[in-house]
Amino acid sequence: MRSVVTGVGAFLPEHVVTNDDLAKIVETSDEWIIERTGIRQRHKASDDQAVSDLAVEACRKALADAGKTPADVDLIIMATTTADLTFPAAATIVQRKLGCPVGIAFDVQAVCSGFVYAMSVADGFVARGHAKCALVIGAETMSRLMDWTDRGTCVLFGDGAGAVVLEPQAGEGTKADRGVLSFALRADGTKQDLLYVDGGVSTTGTVGKLRMLGNQVFRHAVVNIAEAITMAAEKADVTIPEVDWFIPHQANQRILEGVARRLGLEEHKVISTVAEHANTSAASIPLALAHGIADGRIKKGDLLLLEAMGGGLTWGAVVLRL
Ligand code: UT7
């Protein structure tokens, strides 16, 4: 059995923050942000929008795309680092808001790699017959973790949500099958200080703010992402030129280009939403996937490679045929 993506949905909060808007609160400029990151704008959730609200909108679209209703859903895995509450899991809040029946629901916390981790976990449930209709969500309100006096981080992140429906379908066991073909996951806890939030339940008792040594994270990103892509591709027995679309975590346009150069992959095959969405952490891959499908580039049957790196450090990649 394969875990096949049968529906995709995305949601971005209405409010857009431009680089010029940020230049009014920290010492930065539209030119600097575009040149160093490729980011032109980001979306920001309103004060009364919780991350579960963004996720619910994305899930409704994904379910409609799959021809399913909330009543069909028996598994919800939500990748987020900005859950509504410390507990319960945001996935259970989404379950309640959507009106899904009693089933399995939990969160996955791997920061920007969260969607890649969540897809890999969901594959274990769906392909082994433990779920018939899974929602895998990447959703974040990163704006809530920003130190709005730190120009090195507050210009980089945005809010949003994306979701996919995964259903089991019989395959032949070859790379021609639809569904998840392989994944590669990695974590290195010794690199915590490069990217973390300086608060937490069992330490400060506060939510905390995001801290990052950006240029050091940058250096690890290209190497680690290239490693994950190579590992996942080898496991699926696919070559880089065979991949139709690379759907990366959207942290920085220069990282996307650096990985493309390192692996010799064609840049026109890389879906980039950095300019419009900025870094939405766990949400960025499903948002980019939905974007590439909506504009007609990504089609059913295409071979996709999803990849990400984030706090932990964590990194990973998933090969799937849509
Ligand atoms: O999603 C999780 C993974 N995260 C990432 O992958 C992020 C990876 N890192 C990056 O994307 C880049 O390192 C940044 C965009 C964060 C920074 O770009 P950089 O080219 O590595 O710049 P830098 O950190 O080396 O800083 C260069 C200069 C510094 O000034 P000095 O010390 O040279 O005088 C910074 O203070 O740019 C300054 N700077 C800014 N200037 C204007 C940093 N942020 C800003 C800003 N506006 N927003």
Side-chain angles (χ1 to χ4, degrees):
M1 297 303 282
R2 297 284 196 187
S3 316
V4 177
V5 173
T6 57
V8 180
F11 179 77
L12 290 159
E14 202 180 326
H15 182 50
V16 169
V17 179
T18 65
N19 294 345
D20 286 334
D21 292 333
L22 292 173
K24 291 179 191 140
I25 59 168
V26 285
E27 203 182 321
T28 190
S29 65
D30 185 41
E31 297 71 35
W32 190 95
I33 300 171
I34 291 174
E35 189 193 312
R36 299 293 181 111
T37 71
I39 297 167
R40 292 176 183 273
Q41 61 169 51
R42 70 285 294 142
H43 291 251
K44 187 168 181 280
S46 57
D47 291 346
D48 61 355
Q49 271 176 321
V51 74
S52 62
D53 296 318
L54 312 188
V56 161
E57 295 302 325
C59 288
R60 287 206 173 105
K61 291 180 190 171
L63 287 170
D65 189 38
K68 296 283 172 187
T69 71
D72 297 314
V73 175
D74 53 4
L75 168 66
I76 303 175
I77 302 181
M78 177 143 155
T80 188
T81 195
T82 51
D84 297 32
L85 300 168
T86 301
F87 77 78
T92 64
I93 299 176
V94 170
Q95 181 196 38
R96 169 174 59 79
K97 287 183 177 174
L98 279 173
C100 300
V102 171
I104 308 167
F106 61 94
D107 291 354
V108 164
Q109 220 289 39
V111 206
C112 298
S113 311
F115 190 74
V116 162
Y117 268 68
M119 283 291 283
S120 309
V121 174
D123 181 45
F125 282 86
V126 176
R128 279 163 192 77
H130 299 297
K132 291 207 159 17
C133 180
L135 276 168
V136 185
I137 308 162
E140 300 281 16
T141 45
M142 293 304 283
S143 60
R144 309 279 159 81
L145 293 178
M146 291 302 111
D147 172 351
W148 294 103
T149 65
D150 176 12
R151 67 178 182 172
T153 53
C154 75
V155 304
L156 303 175
F157 291 88
D159 301 337
V164 301
V165 175
L166 277 185
E167 293 180 67
Q169 282 182 19
E172 301 290 325
T174 72
K175 61 185 175 183
D177 289 348
R178 288 187 68 205
V180 174
L181 300 180
S182 74
F183 58 82
L185 302 177
R186 282 285 175 269
D188 177 1
T190 66
K191 305 288 187 308
Q192 172 185 321
D193 291 349
L194 303 189
L195 176 54
Y196 67 103
V197 167
D198 63 4
V201 178
S202 68
T203 50
T204 61
T206 62
V207 171
K209 299 292 176 202
L210 184 143
R211 307 293 171 203
M212 178 166 71
L213 299 173
N215 48 12
Q216 292 196 44
V217 175
F218 192 107
R219 258 179 260 137
H220 286 286
V222 175
V223 177
N224 289 350
I225 290 167
E227 179 199 36
I229 290 177
T230 306
M231 284 168 60
E234 275 173 10
K235 279 192 193 175
D237 189 29
V238 304
T239 62
I240 298 297
E242 275 180 271
V243 176
D244 294 305
W245 298 106
F246 294 87
I247 304 163
H249 167 53
Q250 311 281 323
N252 186 322
Q253 185 62 31
R254 285 160 53 217
I255 296 177
L256 272 53
E257 290 164 6
V259 171
R261 267 197 305 277
R262 195 176 177 95
L263 293 180
L265 53 92
E266 296 161 90
E267 275 187 42
H268 70 88
K269 290 182 169 181
V270 181
I271 305 287
S272 175
T273 54
V274 174
E276 297 81 25
H277 302 170
N279 181 347
T280 56
S281 186
S284 82
I285 290 177
L287 276 167
L289 174 62
H291 184 78
I293 292 171
D295 69 18
R297 281 180 290 172
I298 303 176
K299 297 188 176 64
K300 190 172 162 180
D302 283 353
L303 189 61
L304 312 182
L305 203 151
L306 326 180
E307 50 88 343
M309 196 201 77
L313 295 177
T314 55
W315 62 103
V318 171
V319 178
L320 70 89
R321 192 174 294 282
L322 195 60

